[in-house]
Amino acid sequence: MSRPRIVIVGAGFAGYRTARTLSRLTRHQADITLLNPTDYFLYLPLLPQVAAGILEPRRVSVSLSGTLPHVRLVLGEADGIDLDGHTVHYSGPEGEEGTLPFDRLVLAAGSVNKLLPVPGVAEHAHGFRGLPEALYLRDHVTRQVELAAAAKDRAECAARCTFVVVGAGYTGTEVAAHGAMYTDAQVRRHPMRTGMRPRWMLLDVAPRVLPEMDERLSRTAGRVLRQRGVDVRMGTSVKEATHDGVLLTDGSTVDTRTLVWCVGVRPDPLVESLGLPLERGRLLVDSHLRVPGRPEVFACGDVAAVPDLNQPGQYTPMTAQHAWRHGKVCAQNVAASLGVGRRRAYRHRDMGFVVDLGGAKAAANPLGLPMSGPAAGAVTRGYHLAAMPGNRVRVAADWLLDAVLPRQAVQLGLVRSWSVPLESASPEVARVPGRPERARRAGTGTGTGERDAVDPGAERAGEERSEEQPPGGPSRDRPSGEPAKNQPGGEPARNQPGGEPAKNHPHAEPREEQPHGSRSGSARASGTPRRAAETAGPPARGTRKPRKTSGTSGATRSANPAAPSGPTRSADGPADPGPEPPADQPPPGPDIAPGPVKRTDGRAAEGDS
């Protein structure tokens, strides 16, 4: 008799804990397969320390194959799930496609960045959900401080050393706290103009910092931030973002080259294609984390709306603590469905929260006891060491070295701006040339368009709001997040549907293109995998590469909700969205859009504009 096949989608807090616990419970009595786009489990709470140069990236990356020896790891992203056929369709990192049959399925795909309808944010902001984004932010902040120190113009110096963080939840607060310490250390070694110093701003529409925590801890965090010179503005957010700065909701303008978007996350869009009941984008499950009507399907973590038995009528919040505990209970119930052990309902006890504010400062309330100062810092770091499934000695060694040695502030340039777009479907994987883009994870909502007020400060690690990206949200399909240089008419290059037609193009034809990072509206509804058209190399000369017609993307929609999906069209006829750079073109610099490919035979090459 063949062994039961268990497929786990996602290796975040919930998926990793499920795989590890199942491996121990089944004792080789089941075939466990873990599908994940990377070969590591990322310990997200320490990611701000990677951006601040305290920890090296591999310290917060725990090897899946090294710590899950009895689990088969498959690198890829789930494109669709056929529940009736009991198969998961996926795309590998090099464009290959495959299917995974299952007898038990665990959905733990996690969450993606949540965009709000703020003009310019998708083009000029970066999120903070994965290692590539953290590495990019460290390089970018280092570069801006160095350029500010060398700038001759005082206004340019001030703009380059101004850093704006939107969202005063856990992530945004820690990014601002660690970032201020990092840039202050840089300035001591790279003196700038007299009286100039790095300026960090933390914005949120909430009335206080860390509104999901105890008010005393919120006051502690706000006090530490202000002591470090962080400009904390509550009740304020971004109204519009441009290349040179941001316009705030209070009417003021801030000149800056850095906008960090930490306003929150939404469940992975994978669950939307299943046709199962949802609660604010999360898959409804019972207290045993099983999907009603589908006894072979379980869900946990950020994609699951798990009933909170301690608060009837409520659901457990989207936090790492809950996801980690979900994973253990889910594994026990999956094993029980196979006849191993007994199933149990998920019930939690609030153990408190910790927020690392850098140095010896932190805010914590372990077991409901509010703490601040060095004592809270010791508790916070002790908690992280105990919670990490690996690399504890290396993390502790980096903390010790940071206490006695200066930080290495260098920009390696390994991650470019266009590699980590805000609307990226997979923030844990940097975009690279030549790799086919997948249409599954858009990272933006489909929205209702009924928001009365913009609420970018919605990162509540304990709660997920129901608002999603409404129609008319900005698109970011160009590899670089900044306007292209030397474009005809001075307009930024745009490849999204409905963009400006290519000027002086001898063979401009209307065509519909699939935006990078968006997901086809029909590729997932049928439960079949998306077949990538870009798996091969660049097209032959003189030919136009065929493109698939996409459905409505959550990131690029008409401003009119009633308008038909697909590329927008003007009254005079179809608009050419413009050419795309060929696949064999080398990647551009961090802040320069790709230019056209020149030919020597006198004909226009594909990509010339």
Side-chain angles (χ1 to χ4, degrees):
M1 182 177 179
S2 61
R3 296 188 298 182
R5 299 160 299 183
I6 304 173
V7 174
I8 304 171
V9 179
F13 280 89
Y16 180 87
R17 185 78 182 276
T18 300
R20 193 174 74 169
T21 307
L22 264 176
S23 177
R24 176 178 55 84
L25 292 176
T26 57
R27 298 182 182 275
H28 310 289
Q29 298 178 18
D31 292 329
I32 305 173
T33 301
L34 181 61
L35 178 64
N36 197 58
T38 64
D39 65 347
Y40 60 82
F41 159 74
L42 177 63
Y43 191 76
L44 274 170
L46 293 181
L47 202 58
Q49 297 193 25
V50 175
I54 300 174
L55 298 177
E56 289 302 312
R58 286 183 295 178
R59 304 296 186 258
V60 300
S61 310
V62 179
S63 171
L64 296 178
S65 58
T67 56
L68 302 173
H70 304 300
V71 175
R72 176 193 174 205
L73 173 64
V74 176
L75 293 178
E77 297 182 71
D79 286 331
I81 298 176
D82 185 353
L83 295 178
D84 296 328
H86 284 205
T87 54
V88 175
H89 305 273
Y90 71 92
S91 297
E94 296 182 353
E96 69 279 10
E97 297 182 352
T99 59
L100 297 173
F102 65 83
D103 298 305
R104 297 292 185 274
L105 175 65
V106 178
L107 295 173
S111 54
V112 296
N113 288 319
K114 181 171 70 173
L115 286 179
L116 296 177
V118 181
V121 165
E123 291 84 359
H124 305 291
H126 287 280
F128 201 81
R129 288 287 298 164
L131 271 180
E133 294 172 321
L135 294 175
Y136 168 76
L137 182 60
R138 183 165 71 178
D139 273 5
H140 175 77
V141 170
T142 303
R143 180 169 62 252
Q144 295 306 313
V145 172
E146 293 171 347
L147 292 176
K152 296 181 180 180
D153 182 67
R154 188 179 184 89
E156 179 185 356
C157 176
R160 291 194 178 278
C161 61
T162 298
F163 309 94
V164 179
V165 180
V166 185
Y170 293 100
T171 302
T173 299
E174 291 187 347
V175 167
H178 284 280
M181 293 186 65
Y182 180 62
T183 53
D184 286 345
Q186 278 189 272
V187 170
R188 287 194 291 268
R189 291 191 297 272
H190 300 282
M192 293 190 291
R193 292 174 176 272
T194 303
M196 298 297 295
R197 60 164 296 175
R199 176 192 181 193
W200 284 80
M201 297 183 64
L202 181 62
L203 311 177
D204 201 315
V205 295
R208 57 187 174 90
V209 176
L210 299 172
E212 64 278 358
M213 294 187 69
D214 183 88
E215 188 172 354
R216 289 171 292 183
L217 299 184
S218 177
R219 289 198 301 266
T220 297
R223 182 175 64 253
V224 171
L225 291 172
R226 292 181 175 91
Q227 288 174 350
R228 292 183 183 162
V230 178
D231 185 0
V232 180
R233 298 192 185 184
M234 295 293 97
T236 306
S237 189
V238 174
K239 185 177 182 180
E240 182 180 0
T242 66
H243 171 65
D244 298 320
V246 293
L247 173 64
L248 305 184
T249 53
D250 61 5
S252 61
T253 301
V254 178
D255 294 334
T256 181
R257 303 291 190 273
T258 307
L259 181 59
V260 187
W261 192 255
C262 301
V263 300
V265 295
R266 65 182 297 265
D268 192 294
L270 172 65
V271 299
E272 298 176 359
S273 67
L274 301 179
L276 298 174
L278 301 177
E279 170 64 27
R280 296 187 177 183
R282 293 196 283 174
L283 195 62
L284 277 173
V285 297
D286 58 23
S287 59
H288 298 93
L289 285 78
R290 177 175 288 184
V291 177
R294 291 286 181 175
E296 75 282 2
V297 181
F298 297 78
C300 54
D302 289 351
V303 298
V306 182
D308 190 342
L309 299 183
N310 296 329
Q311 302 181 45
Q314 302 294 322
Y315 298 94
T316 58
M318 298 170 63
T319 65
Q321 292 89 339
H322 280 288
W324 188 252
R325 299 167 185 170
H326 285 175
K328 181 179 179 180
V329 175
C330 184
Q332 292 172 336
N333 292 335
V334 171
S337 71
L338 299 175
V340 179
R342 299 174 56 186
R343 70 173 189 167
R344 53 174 291 197
Y346 178 75
R347 188 183 298 271
H348 74 94
R349 179 189 175 194
D350 188 1
M351 304 295 290
F353 298 94
V354 294
V355 179
D356 185 8
L357 300 175
K361 301 296 181 66
N365 60 345
L367 300 177
L369 177 64
M371 302 178 64
S372 61
V379 169
T380 298
R381 296 202 168 184
Y383 167 79
H384 287 315
L385 284 180
M388 287 197 68
N391 298 342
R392 296 187 182 94
V393 174
R394 290 184 172 92
V395 170
D398 276 2
W399 284 342
L400 178 61
L401 292 176
D402 180 68
V404 298
L405 296 176
R407 298 181 192 177
Q408 295 177 303
V410 295
Q411 47 168 322
L412 302 178
L414 300 178
V415 181
R416 307 299 181 89
S417 174
W418 56 269
S419 299
V420 284
L422 179 61
E423 88 283 11
S424 173
S426 304
E428 67 274 16
V429 180
R431 181 177 296 175
V432 297
R435 187 178 67 196
E437 296 298 333
R438 282 170 281 278
R440 181 177 69 79
R441 303 177 174 187
T444 56
T446 55
T448 60
E450 297 175 352
R451 174 184 294 273
D452 295 327
V454 176
D455 186 11
E459 180 184 19
R460 302 294 168 257
E463 297 185 21
E464 176 67 10
R465 300 178 190 268
S466 60
E467 294 91 350
E468 298 175 353
Q469 172 77 3
S475 173
R476 183 196 183 121
D477 297 326
R478 187 167 50 82
S480 172
E482 300 181 3
K485 293 0 179 236
N486 302 325
Q487 291 292 324
E491 293 294 328
R494 299 182 184 273
N495 292 330
Q496 73 260 24
E500 292 293 327
K503 297 181 175 60
N504 302 325
H505 200 287
H507 305 291
E509 299 176 5
R511 57 175 179 170
E512 297 180 350
E513 297 197 22
Q514 174 83 11
H516 297 302
S518 65
R519 103 185 137 86
S520 172
S522 60
R524 295 273 296 285
S526 61
T528 58
R530 172 182 177 267
R531 304 299 177 187
E534 304 89 2
T535 55
R541 292 188 176 185
T543 62
R544 181 179 297 275
K545 185 176 179 180
R547 305 282 294 185
K548 282 193 175 183
T549 301
S550 67
T552 304
S553 167
T556 56
R557 294 178 185 265
S558 170
N560 180 8
S565 62
T568 58
R569 301 178 182 274
S570 65
D572 297 329
D576 189 353
E580 292 187 24
D584 58 348
Q585 182 174 341
D591 298 314
I592 302 177
V597 177
K598 302 299 182 181
R599 294 187 54 157
T600 58
D601 55 4
R603 293 181 297 165
E606 182 167 342
D608 288 349
S609 59

